[in-house]
Amino acid sequence: MTSPTAQTTAQTAARTAALPAPARSARRAPRLPALGALALAELRRMLRNPMFAVGTIGFPVIFFSLFGLGAVNEVTDQGFKVGPLILVNFGAYSLLSLAMFSFGSAVALERTGGWLRLLRASPMPTTLYFAGKLLAALAFSALSLGILYTFAHFVGGVTIPVGTALLLLIKLLLGMIPLTLLGLCIGFLVSPTAAQITANLVSVIMSFASGLFTPLDQMPAFVQKVAPFLPAYHLGAVARGTVVGQSSGEATHWLALAAFTVIFGALAAWGLRRDEAREQ
C-alpha cells in the first residue's frame, strides 16, 4: 500500500513528464531579410529627401558642367586626356559628400529624434542597422556615379572603357568605407545641432585639400603637405591611376585607406559606446 505522499509525488512526476521540453535556444529571426528591409528603407529615405538627392547627385553634375566641360578635351603633360580625370575627381567628391550627409548629419538627427534609442530597445543588433545604412549608401553611390558618368559621356563626350569603368566603380565603392566611418565619427562625436555644418565643412575643405576640385600642384605648399593625411586624397589617387592605367603606387594608397578605416572605425565605436552610456 502506497502512502498519500508517494501517490502525490508520482502524479506530479507524471504531469511534469507530459509537459513539452523547453527549447534549448530561442529561434532567431533570419537576418538577411531584415538587412534587406533596412537597406531598402534607408534608400527610400535618401530618394525621398530632395535636398539630399540634389546635394549628392545634382552638385557633382553641376560642378562638372561648370568646371569640367570646358577642359575635357585638354591633354596633360603626360599625354592623358583631362576629361576622365575630372570625371573621377568629381565622382570621388560625390562619394565624400554622400558619406558626410548619410552617416554624419543623418545619424546625428536620428540620435536627436530618439530613433537610435528605440533601436537599442529592440532585439535588432546595432551592427545590422549600420550594415543596412552602408548597403543603401553603396547603392545610392553607384546611382550617383552612374548619373555623373552618363552626363559626362553624352554632354562632354567623356568615354571610359566598360572594363575600366566597372573596375573603377568597385574601387570607388570600396574606398568609400573609410569615408562612411568618418561620417559616423561626426554623427556620434559632434552635437546634432553642429553636425550639418561640420559635414558641409569637412566635405568642401577636404575636397579642395585632396585635389578633387583643383590640382594639388596649383594649391599652396602647406595644402600639398596636408593632403596625404586625408582619405579623399588617396581615394582620388586610386581613381585617377585606374582611369589612366597606372597602378604602380596604388598599394600605398590602399594601405593608407585601410589605416583610416581602422582609425575612424575605432573612433566611431567609441562614440557609439559613449552615446549608449549617456542613456543608461
Side-chain angles (χ1 to χ4, degrees):
M1 182 176 180
T2 58
S3 64
T5 303
Q7 291 179 352
T8 303
T9 303
Q11 292 172 359
T12 303
R15 286 195 298 266
T16 303
L19 294 176
R24 292 186 177 181
S25 60
R27 184 180 179 183
R28 294 183 178 180
R31 295 193 176 186
L32 190 59
L35 178 61
L38 285 171
L40 184 60
E42 181 68 15
L43 191 59
R44 287 175 177 171
R45 182 191 66 81
M46 295 178 182
L47 294 173
R48 291 174 179 175
N49 187 344
M51 294 305 298
F52 181 84
V54 169
T56 56
I57 296 179
F59 280 176
V61 173
I62 293 173
F63 290 158
F64 182 85
S65 63
L66 292 176
F67 307 112
L69 282 180
V72 292
N73 293 320
E74 295 181 4
V75 180
T76 65
D77 296 337
Q78 294 77 23
F80 303 119
K81 292 194 67 174
V82 173
L85 298 175
I86 298 176
L87 173 62
V88 297
N89 277 344
F90 283 116
Y93 161 73
S94 174
L95 300 187
L96 173 62
S97 178
L98 191 147
M100 293 303 101
F101 290 102
S102 179
F103 288 84
S105 57
V107 170
L109 290 175
E110 290 171 358
R111 286 170 52 204
T112 306
W115 178 239
L116 290 181
R117 190 182 304 112
L118 177 62
L119 289 177
R120 293 187 185 111
S122 68
M124 185 186 69
T126 306
T127 54
L128 197 66
Y129 160 72
F130 290 115
K133 290 183 73 69
L134 178 60
L135 285 179
L138 293 177
F140 199 89
S141 299
L143 174 64
S144 177
L145 293 174
I147 293 176
L148 178 61
Y149 175 77
T150 301
F151 177 83
H153 177 73
F154 288 102
V155 178
V158 179
T159 301
I160 299 177
V162 176
T164 303
L166 292 177
L167 179 61
L168 179 64
L169 176 63
I170 294 173
K171 289 182 178 181
L172 285 174
L173 294 182
L174 184 61
M176 185 186 175
I177 294 177
L179 300 181
T180 60
L181 293 174
L182 175 59
L184 282 179
C185 291
I186 295 175
F188 285 118
L189 300 179
V190 179
S191 64
T193 54
Q196 183 80 21
I197 298 176
T198 304
N200 272 304
L201 289 176
V202 170
S203 177
V204 174
I205 293 176
M206 188 180 294
S207 297
F208 276 104
S210 300
L212 300 182
F213 286 169
T214 305
L216 279 178
D217 55 7
Q218 300 179 14
M219 300 292 288
F222 76 93
V223 175
Q224 299 180 28
K225 293 180 180 179
V226 171
F229 298 96
L230 303 175
Y233 163 80
H234 297 281
L235 180 60
V238 169
R240 291 189 297 270
T242 301
V243 83
V244 299
Q246 292 184 347
S247 58
S248 56
E250 185 173 320
T252 302
H253 297 298
W254 282 118
L255 287 175
L257 289 172
F260 284 121
T261 300
V262 174
I263 295 172
F264 294 148
L267 287 175
W270 176 75
L272 174 61
R273 291 194 297 268
R274 189 184 69 165
D275 188 61
E276 291 176 342
R278 289 176 178 175
E279 298 179 0
Q280 294 178 355

